[in-house]
């Protein structure tokens, strides 16, 4: 599971308090737990806070921890462990959770995510320009038979198409989300087949009242016609037939010896058991190479060189193995080496880029790389040269140094937080 951190201090409110209705609800939740176990109520209380504020703030975690008499670090552990808690601000009108697990993915959930990217924000956990909508990909939402689906707050919307999801997003953006009926969006009822019920179309046959009514009718009929012919009794079913042992081979293995069964009706000496057993057939290379009679009758027989047995390799001590040669570093005269500059008076802290430590920063300085703008301008060939020079095996692309550097060059740490939703590591 990915690391979950609280939102930046710049967006955290100074305090938190439940409103009157949620204060009463919190007290009711706490009463449900035995004396001394009230701290277990932290999960529903955090959900109350999220429903009230839209997301779980640091002040809410600390306030609830104090209410329950538990250390604040324990409250932080719970809030950062469960992904149901939103630790960053989400859309004020809708936070759309798109199921991306296998059934939904096979039914087109990727297209639903494309709708969210185009109508809300390209990246997850980012709000739109007005701050009213946000989205994220989540694990299974539990309605796989109605895939693909999304969840908005506590409501699920199933059997979605990209066009229908776009309509729902527009309604929530317009403040008309309450008018959208949750559940399947293609007209089906619950999780019934799309074509309608195929079995159990009526519950009449399985209701207790139906059985009682039929029993009373049968008793009434028997009482009204005492001279009626009584049906012959149904014969008792035949006893079950013991399983055949025809397919069990007779061997002298201990597993098949009747003398070892507990309790054993037969006591057999090992010598008798061995004498009664069928010995294994002798190996014959000729017979082993024969096929079925109809195949052997074909004039053109199988042919081909026999596989030669390879000699056993000689043992080599581990210390005698030659280590694989490491690939050579690219030349400093290579045309793809990024252009360096003389050390400026003001040097950027390259360690703010995820994946750059003090040692890597020193290496970059030796190459004449001192500013975020230089890293942000690297082309693909230049990134590959630096990646090979640092022996990173693709890490520059995985960590997206260029995107990080562009954000830091544009607006420093504040712009980085806006783009990535977290502080530089």
């Amino acid at each position: 599971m990915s690391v979950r951190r609280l939102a930046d201090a710049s967006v955290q409110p100074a305090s938190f308090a439940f409103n009157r209705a949620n204060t009463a609800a919190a007290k009711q939740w706490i009463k449900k737990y035995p004396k001394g176990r009230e701290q277990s109520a932290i999960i529903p209380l955090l959900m109350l806070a999220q429903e009230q504020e839209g997301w779980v703030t640091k002040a809410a975690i600390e306030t609830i921890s104090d209410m329950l008499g538990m250390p604040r670090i324990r409250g932080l552990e719970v809030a950062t462990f469960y992904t149901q808690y939103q630790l960053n601000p989400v859309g004020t009108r809708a936070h759309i959770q798109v199921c991306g697990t296998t059934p939904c993915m096979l039914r087109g959930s990727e297209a639903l995510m494309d709708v969210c990217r185009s109508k809300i924000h390209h990246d997850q956990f980012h709000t739109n320009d007005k701050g009213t909508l946000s989205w994220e990909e989540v694990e299974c939402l539990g309605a796989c038979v109605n895939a693909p689906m999304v969840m908005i707050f506590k409501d699920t919307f199933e059997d979605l198409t990209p066009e229908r999801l776009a309509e729902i997003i527009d309604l929530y953006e317009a403040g008309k989300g309450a008018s959208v009926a949750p559940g399947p969006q293609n007209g089906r009822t619950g999780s019934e087949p799309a074509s309608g019920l195929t079995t159990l179309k009526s519950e009449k046959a399985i209701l207790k009242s139906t059985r009682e009514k039929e029993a009373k009718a049968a008793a009434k009929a028997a009482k009204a016609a005492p001279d009626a012919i009584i049906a012959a009794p149904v014969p008792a079913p035949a006893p079950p037939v013991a399983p055949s042992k025809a397919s069990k081979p007779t061997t002298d293995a201990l597993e098949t010896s009747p003398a070892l069964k507990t309790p054993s009706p037969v006591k057999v000496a090992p010598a008798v058991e061995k004498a009664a057993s069928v010995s294994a057939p002798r190996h014959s290379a000729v017979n082993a190479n024969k096929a079925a009679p109809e195949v052997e009758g074909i004039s053109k027989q199988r042919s081909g060189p026999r596989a030669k047995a390879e000699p056993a390799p000689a043992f080599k001590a581990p210390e005698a193995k030659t280590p694989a040669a490491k690939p050579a570093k690219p030349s400093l005269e290579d045309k793809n080496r990024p252009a360096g500059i003389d050390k400026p008076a003001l040097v950027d802290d390259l360690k703010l880029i995820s994946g750059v430590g003090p040692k890597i920063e020193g290496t970059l300085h030796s190459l004449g790389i001192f500013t975020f703008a230089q890293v942000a301008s690297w082309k693909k060939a230049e990134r590959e040269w630096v990646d090979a020079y640092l022996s990173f095996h693709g890490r520059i692309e995985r960590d997206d140094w260029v995107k990080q550097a562009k954000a830091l060059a544009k607006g420093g740490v504040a712009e980085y937080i806006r783009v990535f939703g977290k502080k530089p590591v």
Side-chain angles (χ1 to χ4, degrees), residues 30-48:
I30 295 173
K31 287 181 181 178
K32 293 182 179 182
Y33 295 91
K35 187 175 180 58
R37 301 288 183 178
E38 293 87 354
Q39 294 181 3
S40 299
I42 187 171
I43 289 181
L45 264 58
L46 286 174
M47 284 303 298
L48 285 177

Side-chain angles (χ1 to χ4, degrees), residues 160-340:
L160 286 170
T161 61
E163 296 76 16
R164 179 55 181 159
L165 178 59
E167 294 173 0
I168 293 174
I169 291 175
D170 290 339
L171 289 170
Y172 271 94
E173 171 66 8
K176 301 178 181 179
S179 64
V180 185
Q185 301 297 303
N186 63 348
R188 90 158 88 192
T189 302
S191 297
E192 294 178 358
S195 58
L197 288 175
T198 58
T199 57
L200 298 178
K201 295 184 178 181
S202 172
E203 296 183 353
K204 184 178 179 180
I206 61 174
L207 293 176
K208 183 179 179 182
S209 58
T210 303
R211 298 197 302 271
E212 291 176 349
K213 188 180 295 184
E214 291 176 351
K216 289 180 180 178
K220 186 176 181 180
K223 187 176 182 181
D227 298 330
I229 299 175
I230 301 175
V234 179
V241 180
S244 172
K245 296 183 179 181
S247 62
K248 294 184 178 181
T250 303
T251 69
D252 59 356
L254 296 177
E255 291 79 3
T256 61
S257 173
L260 297 183
K261 291 183 179 180
T262 306
S264 174
V266 181
K267 301 299 181 184
V268 183
V272 177
E273 169 70 13
K274 187 173 182 179
S277 299
V278 178
S279 58
R282 291 184 177 180
H283 175 70
S284 171
V286 177
N287 292 336
N289 193 43
K290 284 185 178 181
E294 56 270 20
V295 177
E296 291 293 336
I298 299 175
S299 58
K300 187 177 180 180
Q301 293 290 318
R302 297 187 298 266
S303 62
R306 292 186 177 182
K308 296 181 180 180
E310 297 182 0
F315 173 77
K316 293 183 179 180
E319 60 272 13
K321 293 182 179 179
T322 304
K326 293 184 178 180
K329 285 189 175 182
S331 171
L332 293 174
E333 304 300 326
D334 194 294
K335 65 178 182 179
N336 293 324
R337 174 186 171 181

